[in-house]
Amino acid sequence: MYLMNPAVIVDGLTVKRGKTQVFDGFSATIASGRITGLLGPSGCGKTTLIRAIVGIQKIQSGSVVVLGRQAGELSLRDQVSYSSQADGVYKDLSVKENIEYYARLASVSEDDVARVIDLVGLGSQTKQIVASLSGGQSRRVSLAVALLGSPQVVVLDEPTVGLDPVLRASLWDIFASQAAQGTTFIVSSHVMDEAARCDDLILIRQGQLVAATTPERLLSDTGQKDAEAAFLYLIRKSEQDAGAGQDETSVDSAPAHNGDHHDAGGQR
Amino acid sequence: MRLLATTRRVIAQLAHDHRTVALILIVPMVLVGLFAWLFSSGEAFQTIGPIILGLFPFVLMFIVTSVATLRERTSGTLERYMTTPASRTSLIFGYALAFGIFAIIQALLTVFFAVWVCGLDIDGPLWQLILIAAVNAICGTAMGLFASAFARTEFQAVQMMPVFVLPQVVVGGVFMPIDAMDEPLQWFAHCLPLTYAIEAVQAVAGNESGWAVGRPVLILAAFAVGFLVVSSLTMPRKTA
């Protein structure tokens, strides 16, 4: 593809969770040193894609290559960090105890604990138990853990969901400052107005890649005023195309043709 | 070391939770005291007492671990752990070590209370009882880790106690000596770890030594290691 130096290459990813086919041959590329937003409605496959990138998702076929190695490989685990929607911190431990634990697991020095606590602005809450923090503060503890040891790739699943606008803006500032130092951020969101804060966008719907673009190109290509309208525009357009495709096949009444269409949709 | 990191973290969690610590350390003493009072007129306490010392570490650590592990699964911390360079065995043995330390403190308190306050006669050396309690607790921890794999909610995790523990209490030699049971029941009893825990404490209480104590303790330890290994298989790094 056009990316010189991709951090993540997803090729033909096929994932089934229970009876649901989440992905059927999904491919995408994520550039390094940039903030890539994974956007799409709830249940579109963002979390599954993220879990595949950090190597904890069972996949049926396809490959996910991160920094040139298979996702989840031992040597990758201290270069790729992850924060799930569930925060993944111990509610009955203090801020510092949580971060210290993860620092020891990743063999990160104690100095770094203080650095990430300052970075997320929890310097005056270090001794507070996470359960007593606000939702936004506990989200920042989770982010601090993800930033420990300055990993090359930081993968965050809905890091700003349910947070007030001021805190959201401050988290995005943190992502931007770290990305400026060369860290790759992969951030999922179902809030379309966050698209503008990303360098690159991957729009997903029902396990299908709707578009891989940038915020500027998304707006100029669709002629819409904001990301939400642009996303809706793209989805309507793809549904119309799919509808037209189906009409065509029913006219041709060739089953093989129908299969071709399906494949083409999957690879797009 | 990553194993010790988990041990420290689990101990820190318990250190913040004073009520759980109190329950772990005090409840066994209260129950031993109740039994001593109940049987104060006869010799029965001398039979029942050691058995109770064999039951507590196992049962309590089973419950604590199965709930703690389930919390790891539901809070996203286990998922996060899987993305770190640390191994699954160091998580599981880290847990076992933390609860083993707690079990030793619990056993020290319970044994001294039973012997000096309630007048339980232990003919063998007391350190052996403490050792058995520690191995027994680690076995309870290991089984709790294993059982939590079958629970999706904390309610279910607590319900695993009657499933995994009560049958062991029933046939483990608490209510009837193993030799007096029907043969299939004897066979069943010998497949369960708690049977060996009770055999070991009874051996110490009866001042037996050597293989009579060593054999059940070794079998118990083998069960503990076996369940720890099997439970690491119930925590795959990649999940569907």
Side-chain angles (χ1 to χ4, degrees), chain A residues 106-127:
Chain A
S107 309
V108 169
S109 79
E110 300 278 322
D111 301 343
D112 213 48
V113 172
R115 181 188 68 91
V116 294
I117 290 176
D118 280 345
L119 201 58
V120 299
L122 286 174
S124 48
Q125 275 94 13
T126 51
K127 288 200 170 132

Side-chain angles (χ1 to χ4, degrees), chain B residues 33-46 118:
Chain B
L34 267 179
F35 272 109
W37 190 8
L38 184 68
F39 297 117
S40 53
S41 55
E43 283 296 292
F45 181 61
Q46 302 304 333
C118 303

Side-chain angles (χ1 to χ4, degrees), chain A residues 17 51 55-58 77 82-84 86-88 90 92-93 97 101-102 104-105 107 129 142 145, chain B residues 2 5-6 8-9 12-13 16 71-72 75-77 79-86 91 237-240:
Chain A
R17 294 187 85 169
R51 284 168 43 84
I56 54 172
Q57 176 66 50
K58 236 185 224 159
R77 282 191 226 130
Y82 166 59
S83 173
S84 70
D87 282 352
Y90 296 93
D92 47 358
L93 289 181
E97 286 168 330
Y101 174 56
Y102 286 108
R104 289 190 193 109
L105 288 184
S107 309
I129 300 296
S142 180
V145 173
Chain B
R2 283 161 185 156
T6 297
R8 268 175 84 164
R9 188 260 297 167
Q13 282 179 293
H16 285 297
R71 266 165 44 179
E72 293 258 12
S75 66
T77 48
E79 193 180 58
R80 179 169 234 153
Y81 186 95
M82 294 308 181
T83 67
T84 71
L91 176 74
R237 204 173 276 279
K238 290 184 194 224
T239 49

